[in-house]
Each structure stands twice: as structure tokens, then as C-alpha cells.
Amino acid sequence: MSRAQVRAVALCLVINLVDGFDLLVTSFVGPAITRQWGLSPSAVGVLLSGGLAGMAVGGLFLAPLADRVGRRRLTLGCLALASLGMLAAAAAQDFGQLLACRVVTGAAVGAMAAGLPVLTSEYANHRRRGLVVALITTGYGLGSVIAGIASSLLLGAFGWRSVFVFGALVTALLFAVALRFLPESMDFLVARRPRQALEKLNRILVSLGRAPVDALPAVTSAATSRKVVLDSLFRGRNAVRTVLVWVAFVSAQLMFYFASSWTPSLLLKAGMSGQQGLSGGVLLSLGGVTGAVVLGLLVSRIGPRRLTAAYFGIGALVLILFSFSLGTLATALVVAVLVGLFLNGTVTGINVIVPGLYPAEARATALGMAVAVSRLGAVLAPLLAGFLLQAGWAPGAMFRFFAIPGAIGAVATLLLARFGRVRENEATRVVARLP
């Protein structure tokens, strides 16, 4: 990979990292906000889900704008929006204002989450593309780690508002860096042909060490309409694949966002100190980073479906183990690393699996719909945990309850392994039968 390719991929990773900070910071400052405002557990669950709900809105309604205005321009706009949302959260005076700010920030993060992996895969070379996409998913975990560290350093001296101010300033700084160095998608330049598209494409080609071109390549018309492609996802074996992918993705998001959102608070509820709760959240996030990297390294040897099914099953067992280790600090912190490792690995694994399950003309639509549906699990997990806690559930019982989606996700992923990789001639027959 050339220096320009490495720089583009690294910048996408850093943007994902800051997105992870902005999205998950409430998990670490939530206990402090609860003490100051006297929030109920269910209200805390709603607050934790605010950013995730906004993420779903951004993925559904803002992300498609990338095909009209360009991935670079949309990313810059979302970075500015996320910075403003974080700054407004620091100034919020009540629960409603803070929740609205979290939804706005989540919407910006959701739009970037849909576009950055595509931009990353475009600039990564073929040999390293799978590993690079897996590494990009570690950005959320790294951002969560930084959110935990920043909270531990700032909360005691300056209060929870200072953590949001810190996030706003870092996001604004990243906006300035991206304005200078983030490249545009070459596919966008060729397909949409904005003003000075040829000049912009040639500048990118030269930075990659390639020769400039005299004219833009001819645009190939789509073989099938979006409606036909969408219908093909629910015909024949594709229909079974689609349902199984959705079940697995929702299960992965339920486990991951329950653990990442509630672990600091539940450790505090189990009798640990505030600092110990923060440490548990940080270690869980570090485990998540490790899990994504390990899956990226192993996926070519073991196969993504069986490997992801193993992550699901072991993740469920580790959640159960975590529930029995809450009374011992050292054991709980060690197991927290394993929880993050396997739970984040399930999310990464589903992202790796989906492109190989569908015909080429349906892959982008299939992944986009799967990500949108999976947000149901991401939003539901903190809400459900908050209501369970308010109903009197003990922290250990809650971790055991959220192990159930792990078993469901493992079964769904194993069933996906039976269907194997889709054959292009099979896909052609499915589309040809549609009206």
C-alpha cells in the first residue's frame, strides 16, 4: 500500500475512534449524571439508547446522501454536527435537552458508520482488505477506551460536562485534519461526475502512484433496479439467508451494547467503587479491540461463519462467567476483557460474513438493511437493561439474561454455514424470475 493509501485508511480509523468516543461516552459519565440529576434506572437506559437511536436515524436517512454529495463532504458535515452535539450536551440543563443532544450526535455517527467502511475498502489493497476492514471496526472500542480514560481523569476534578467538552474539541480538531487529508471516493467521482471530477480523480491517482487518465471511465448501467435487487433478498434461499443474518446481527448488538453501555454502572451496583467500574468498562473495550483484530487474522484460516458462531457461543459462556465473578475485583476485571473480546468479535464477524452470502448486485443493499435492522438490538439493549434494573434484577442475573442472545446468534450463524457461498448463476436465476 502506498503512503496515500495508508494515510486514507489510518484517517478513517481515527474518525471511527472519535465516533466511538462520542457514541459511548455516556456509559462512563452516566453514573455521575444519575447522581446529580437523580435519574431512575429506566431513564438512564433511555439516555444510553439515545445515541444508538440517533445512529439508526443517521444510517437510514443521512448516509444515503453520500451518493449525492460525496462521502468526503458527508463525513466532514457529520464531524461538524457531532462536535456541535457534544458541545451542546455539555451545556444541557435537563434530561430532555441531553437526550436530544445524544440523538443528534448519534445521527452523525450513524451516517459516518455506513460510509467509512466503504471508503476504507476502496483505498485498501486487495490482499489486506479483509484485515483492514476488521481493523476499522476496532475504532469504536478504542474510542470507548479513551472515553473511559478521559472520564477517570476529568470527572473528579471538572465534572461530567468536561468530558463532553473534551470530545467536542477532539472532534473539531479531527474535522480540520479531515478537511485537509480525507480523499473523496473514486467510485463517487466516476459514477456521479461532480464538478471537476476528472481533475480530482487524477490528483488521487497521482497520490497513489498511478498515471493520470485523459477521460473519466464509462459508467456501467445497473443490471437490475433497486426494487428487483431488494425483492431478490426475500426469494428462495436468499430469504432464509436474510432472516438468519438479521437474527444473528440483532443478537450480536443486544449482547455488545448491553455490556458496553451498562458494565460500569452494574459494577458500581455490585459494590465496586466508581473508579473500579470505569476500569471494568475500559478493559471490556480493550478486549473488544483485541477480539476484532484476532477475528481478522483468523478468518481466512477458519472461515467467517464457523468462527463467528464460536465467538457467539463462547461470548454467551463468558457473560455467564462474568455474572459469577462480580464479587471479586481481580476476577471480574480479567473476565471483562474476555467479554469485550468475544462480544465485539461477533459484530465484526457478521460484517465479514454478509458480502459472501449474496450476489454482487445485492450485497450493498443486503448489508445496509442488515445494519439498519441490527440497530433494533443496539437501541433495545440499554432500554431493556434499565427496566430490568428498575424492576429489581441483580447485576449478575442481568448478565446471565443477556447470554441468551449469544446462544440464538450461534445457532443462526451455524445455519448460515449450511447455505454456503451464493453462486452467481443461482443469483441470476432468482433475479430473472422476478417481474
Side-chain angles (χ1 to χ4, degrees), residues 16 42 49 70 88 108 159 197 225 336 343 375 424:
N16 244 21
S42 59
S49 293
S225 70
L343 268 54
R375 299 303 175 206
E424 293 300 327

Side-chain angles (χ1 to χ4, degrees), residues 112-128:
M112 288 185 280
L116 288 174
V118 177
L119 192 61
T120 301
S121 62
E122 187 175 335
Y123 279 93
N125 63 13
H126 180 73
R127 185 163 64 91
R128 294 189 174 92

Side-chain angles (χ1 to χ4, degrees), residues 221-244:
S221 60
T224 55
S225 70
R226 177 176 174 84
K227 182 179 184 302
V228 171
V229 169
L230 193 62
D231 287 346
S232 74
L233 300 183
F234 301 97
R235 296 292 182 95
R237 293 166 67 88
N238 275 357
V240 181
R241 293 186 183 102
T242 298
V243 172
L244 291 175

Side-chain angles (χ1 to χ4, degrees), residues 35-414:
R35 287 193 298 269
Q36 181 173 333
W37 288 353
L39 300 180
S40 66
S42 59
V44 175
V46 172
L47 185 61
L48 292 173
S49 293
L52 302 173
M55 196 175 180
V57 172
L60 286 173
F61 299 107
L62 294 182
L65 294 176
D67 293 329
R68 298 183 181 181
V69 303
R71 302 201 183 283
R72 180 180 186 275
R73 188 175 296 178
L74 181 67
T75 300
L76 290 172
C78 288
L79 283 172
L81 182 62
S83 180
L84 292 174
M86 293 290 285
L87 193 61
Q93 298 301 309
D94 56 40
F95 175 81
Q97 292 179 8
L98 183 57
L99 179 61
C101 294
R102 298 307 297 152
V103 171
V104 169
T105 301
V109 172
M112 288 185 280
L116 288 174
V118 177
L119 192 61
T120 301
S121 62
E122 187 175 335
Y123 279 93
N125 63 13
H126 180 73
R127 185 163 64 91
R128 294 189 174 92
R129 185 163 295 138
L131 177 60
V132 165
V133 173
L135 288 175
I136 286 297
T137 65
T138 67
Y140 285 110
L142 291 171
S144 181
V145 170
I146 295 175
I149 295 173
S151 297
S152 65
L153 295 175
L154 296 174
L155 272 175
F158 305 103
W160 61 266
R161 297 180 188 276
S162 64
V163 185
F164 284 106
V165 172
F166 175 79
L169 294 176
V170 172
T171 307
L173 177 62
L174 185 58
F175 169 85
V177 175
L179 184 64
R180 172 66 178 85
F181 293 108
L182 184 67
E184 181 55 274
S185 163
M186 291 183 286
D187 285 343
F188 169 77
L189 294 174
V190 172
R192 300 293 296 187
R193 300 173 185 262
R195 185 180 178 185
Q196 298 181 328
L198 180 60
E199 291 83 352
K200 294 176 181 178
L201 178 63
N202 280 330
R203 281 199 295 270
I204 295 173
L205 290 173
V206 170
S207 71
L208 299 177
R210 309 293 175 84
V213 296
D214 297 326
L216 292 172
V219 179
T220 303
S221 60
T224 55
S225 70
R226 177 176 174 84
K227 182 179 184 302
V228 171
V229 169
L230 193 62
D231 287 346
S232 74
L233 300 183
F234 301 97
R235 296 292 182 95
R237 293 166 67 88
N238 275 357
V240 181
R241 293 186 183 102
T242 298
V243 172
L244 291 175
V245 165
W246 287 5
V247 170
F249 223 156
V250 170
S251 299
Q253 298 275 21
L254 274 169
M255 290 197 302
F256 175 74
Y257 280 104
F258 159 70
S260 61
S261 297
W262 273 100
T263 293
S265 296
L266 290 179
L267 290 177
L268 189 65
K269 184 79 172 177
M272 297 186 185
S273 67
Q275 187 62 45
Q276 290 168 345
L278 290 174
S279 298
V282 169
L283 289 173
L284 188 144
S285 299
L286 283 173
V289 173
T290 306
V293 173
V294 171
L295 186 138
L297 294 172
L298 293 178
V299 72
S300 61
R301 300 181 181 181
I302 299 177
R305 287 177 282 272
R306 289 181 175 83
L307 181 61
T308 305
Y311 266 68
F312 267 114
I314 299 173
L317 294 175
V318 170
L319 276 177
I320 295 172
L321 178 61
F322 195 37
S323 71
F324 291 107
S325 67
L326 296 178
T328 308
L329 175 61
T331 305
L333 295 182
V334 170
V335 179
V337 176
L338 297 176
V339 170
L341 190 154
F342 288 104
L343 268 54
N344 191 45
T346 61
V347 178
T348 303
I350 298 296
N351 279 287
V352 174
I353 287 172
V354 172
L357 292 175
Y358 295 94
E361 66 270 17
R363 285 171 189 162
T365 302
L367 183 57
M369 290 187 65
V371 170
V373 171
S374 74
R375 299 303 175 206
L376 173 65
V379 174
L380 182 61
L383 282 175
L384 180 58
F387 282 109
L388 290 177
L389 189 61
Q390 187 164 324
W393 283 50
M398 292 173 64
F399 279 101
R400 291 190 291 274
F401 175 80
F402 277 94
I404 296 174
I408 296 173
V411 172
T413 311
L414 285 173

